[in-house]
Amino acid sequence: MVRITEQLVRKRSEHNEGEISTLEEISLHQENIDKIEGLDKWCRHLKILLLQSNLIPKIENVSRLKKLEYLNLALNNIERIENLEGCESLQKLDLTVNFVGELTSVKTLKNNIHLDLLYLTGNPCTDFIGYRKYVIATLPQLKSLDGRNIERSERILAMQEYNEVKKLILSQEQEYKGRRLAQKQQAERRAEEEETNYAAAQDKPEEEKLQEFWSQVSEHSPETRLHIAAQVLKQQEEKQKGLSADSTRPPKREYKLFNAVGKPLNVNEAKIPFLLTEDDKLNSLVLDIAVYKYLDTSLLDVDIQPTYVKVLIKGKIFQIVFPEEINTESSRAERSQTTGHLVLTMPKVNGEVKPKTVKHTPTTRKDDQTRNYSNTIRREMLEIGRSEDMDFSRIVKLRQYNQQCNSARDGKGRCEAVTDFVDDPEVPPLE
């Protein structure tokens, strides 16, 4: 297992430039730590201490942290609440998914008068009848328990029923202690059986032994968590030994990004499709890299230079050289919302930006539109059929006839030039 060392603390305090004497926050989660130690000597000014997802069985060596406001010990092997009386500024305590079965140990938090938030979800004590009422009545300073605010009426009711609930909690604690003792004895027997069967299983393939281990049914207990952690650590060590002993593995290829004279080279370590085109209208180079659609943008790193661009895609290098120099200050990188492609638009240093050709549509006034509409209607009406009365080829002949008739009229208004003409006296003469 892992111990808390000064070197580990300095490594996790990079945000404070490795200075641990003035450190106010540190995260030591998922380190397989099995004991809290050293922090009360090296980091006396801690306000936030995150120790979740470790193998810590006991709360200890934190009472000197007078400024500690938030302590996270979720997902550990803690079975009782203790040794927190000296944390005068403690406001939030998270013990989610531990093995706290001694519920009466919460009374050790009475002196933490600033404690507002307490999380015990996932502990065996939360299954006790009257659990919430007992905690609320025991710790009057609490404002929230397991993420639920404590109402004033709920606190009054819990205080009224405290004596009865306390007796019920004590009896359930005794029952749990009996089950816990049997659980420890069973874990010891199982460990002895595994040691006995270990010699007989030497001839089995490693994969078969791992399959048997992970297929076993086990209880949720601190011993089981320790056993699983030891098995995982053993697998990691064997894997490291296998890698160091395997000298036949070909070395990883090293990609050269520049030649001997410093000229950039084209590299596509990710073996990913791409397309480099020119946009004449914008006088730019457009590089479309077909990165994976659902790849997180934080896994992409773009470095645009005047003559080349280098893109890191999940740590793999993509580099391409431009046919001409580009303007890095005006370049931009974007992700397509539909395909996820990485599109780089890079204006050229030389050349001109061609203006866009705008097509002008002729505008007509309202009167012109009305006139055109009328002409169209008139033209359509003229084109509808022809009859004998609309023979326009006789217009000239009729005009000549009228002229002759006017010149040959006598005093009575009759036309003598045309013999077959019958003059109607009721019709007025043409003038």
Side-chain angles (χ1 to χ4, degrees):
M1 300 305 166
V2 179
R3 295 185 59 184
I4 299 178
T5 61
E6 186 175 349
Q7 182 180 2
L8 176 61
V9 174
R10 291 190 185 278
K11 179 181 176 182
R12 288 301 187 96
S13 60
E14 295 177 351
H15 59 283
N16 200 42
E17 298 181 355
E19 178 62 41
I20 62 175
S21 62
T22 59
L23 195 64
E24 295 185 352
E25 177 182 352
I26 190 169
S27 176
L28 298 171
H29 65 284
Q30 296 180 341
E31 290 284 355
N32 286 333
I33 296 170
D34 60 349
K35 185 177 182 180
I36 305 174
E37 56 184 342
L39 295 174
D40 57 341
K41 300 177 183 177
W42 307 321
C43 314
R44 298 290 292 273
H45 298 281
L46 273 180
K47 293 183 178 180
I48 299 176
L49 177 56
L50 306 178
L51 289 166
Q52 65 269 30
S53 299
N54 284 295
L55 301 170
I56 300 170
K58 183 179 180 180
I59 304 175
E60 57 185 340
N61 298 323
V62 293
S63 58
R64 294 183 182 179
L65 301 176
K66 304 298 181 181
K67 298 182 180 180
L68 187 64
E69 298 176 359
Y70 175 32
L71 176 60
N72 191 333
L73 287 166
L75 291 166
N76 278 280
N77 292 343
I78 296 169
E79 298 192 55
R80 73 184 309 270
I81 303 171
E82 57 187 342
N83 301 323
L84 290 172
E85 296 86 352
C87 300
E88 301 172 355
S89 304
L90 188 63
Q91 300 176 11
K92 180 178 178 181
L93 176 62
D94 192 344
L95 293 171
T96 303
V97 190
N98 275 272
F99 298 93
V100 177
E102 189 178 339
L103 184 57
T104 53
S105 64
V106 299
K107 61 185 178 183
T108 61
L109 299 173
K110 280 186 175 182
N111 295 329
N112 302 102
I113 58 175
H114 299 290
L115 184 64
D116 295 334
L117 308 174
L118 176 63
Y119 292 88
L120 291 171
T121 306
N123 286 271
C125 64
T126 58
D127 296 330
F128 293 174
I129 299 173
Y131 148 75
R132 185 173 175 87
K133 291 181 179 179
Y134 178 80
V135 176
I136 293 174
T138 305
L139 303 175
Q141 74 272 31
L142 277 186
K143 295 181 180 178
S144 174
L145 176 60
D146 297 333
R148 286 174 51 196
N149 292 336
I150 301 173
E151 303 294 338
R152 185 171 179 270
S153 57
E154 186 180 13
R155 192 183 303 279
I156 294 173
L157 184 62
M159 294 296 294
Q160 292 174 349
E161 301 178 2
Y162 176 71
N163 293 329
E164 297 179 1
V165 171
K166 183 179 179 181
K167 294 178 182 178
L168 193 58
I169 293 296
L170 289 173
S171 63
Q172 293 178 89
E173 268 190 8
Q174 293 301 321
E175 294 177 3
Y176 174 77
K177 287 180 180 179
R179 295 196 303 269
R180 180 74 184 101
L181 181 60
Q183 196 177 59
K184 289 181 180 180
Q185 294 173 353
Q186 184 179 359
E188 291 176 358
R189 289 194 299 267
R190 183 177 297 174
E192 293 176 357
E193 292 175 0
E194 288 183 358
E195 289 181 2
T196 304
N197 299 331
Y198 181 76
Q202 290 294 329
D203 297 335
K204 291 184 179 181
E206 191 65 28
E207 294 182 359
E208 185 176 346
K209 290 191 289 185
L210 290 176
Q211 182 67 25
E212 290 180 359
F213 176 81
W214 293 112
S215 61
Q216 292 177 0
V217 179
S218 58
E219 290 184 311
H220 181 58
S221 65
E223 291 76 21
T224 302
R225 288 201 65 207
L226 287 171
H227 189 40
I228 293 175
Q231 180 66 25
V232 172
L233 183 61
K234 181 181 176 181
Q235 292 179 17
Q236 292 176 352
E237 291 176 352
E238 291 178 353
K239 185 177 180 181
Q240 290 293 334
K241 291 179 181 178
L243 291 176
S244 59
D246 187 9
S247 58
T248 60
R249 175 176 294 185
K252 185 179 179 181
R253 178 182 175 184
E254 295 183 2
Y255 290 87
K256 293 184 178 181
L257 302 180
F258 303 92
N259 61 11
V261 296
K263 184 177 179 181
L265 303 175
N266 292 326
V267 177
N268 191 357
E269 183 184 3
K271 294 181 175 57
I272 198 162
F274 68 94
L275 180 64
L276 180 63
T277 58
E278 295 187 14
D279 191 335
D280 294 335
K281 294 181 179 179
L282 299 177
N283 189 39
S284 303
L285 296 178
V286 180
L287 176 61
D288 188 328
I289 306 176
V291 298
Y292 315 113
K293 183 175 181 180
Y294 299 105
L295 180 67
D296 196 323
T297 306
S298 63
L299 299 177
L300 298 174
D301 187 13
V302 181
D303 181 16
I304 302 177
Q305 299 295 330
T307 57
Y308 70 96
V309 62
K310 183 174 73 172
V311 182
L312 289 179
I313 306 170
K314 294 183 67 176
K316 295 186 177 180
I317 301 174
F318 174 88
Q319 180 171 291
I320 188 170
V321 182
F322 303 137
E324 54 184 299
E325 188 175 354
I326 58 98
N327 187 351
T328 58
E329 295 182 357
S330 302
S331 301
R332 66 179 187 273
E334 301 171 321
R335 286 289 296 276
S336 173
Q337 295 183 355
T338 54
T339 63
H341 289 194
L342 177 63
V343 181
L344 307 178
T345 305
M346 301 160 287
K348 301 177 184 178
V349 173
N350 301 320
E352 298 179 356
V353 179
K354 298 181 179 180
K356 294 183 179 179
T357 56
V358 181
K359 294 182 179 180
H360 296 282
T361 56
T363 57
T364 56
R365 295 181 302 175
K366 185 175 180 181
D367 296 341
D368 296 339
Q369 292 177 358
T370 305
R371 189 180 300 110
N372 293 339
Y373 176 77
S374 301
N375 293 339
T376 304
I377 297 300
R378 187 182 298 112
R379 183 163 55 253
E380 290 177 355
M381 291 178 64
L382 292 174
E383 291 174 357
I384 297 177
R386 295 184 61 180
S387 63
E388 294 297 333
D389 297 335
M390 298 181 65
D391 187 2
F392 298 101
S393 62
R394 298 172 58 191
I395 292 177
V396 177
K397 293 181 181 181
L398 289 174
R399 183 179 297 174
Q400 293 176 353
Y401 169 76
N402 292 333
Q403 291 176 354
Q404 293 175 3
C405 193
N406 290 333
S407 60
R409 287 181 185 275
D410 55 4
K412 297 181 179 181
R414 293 176 299 178
C415 183
E416 298 177 354
V418 183
T419 57
D420 59 349
F421 176 75
V422 178
D423 190 10
D424 189 352
E426 295 182 358
V427 177
L430 296 174
E431 296 181 356

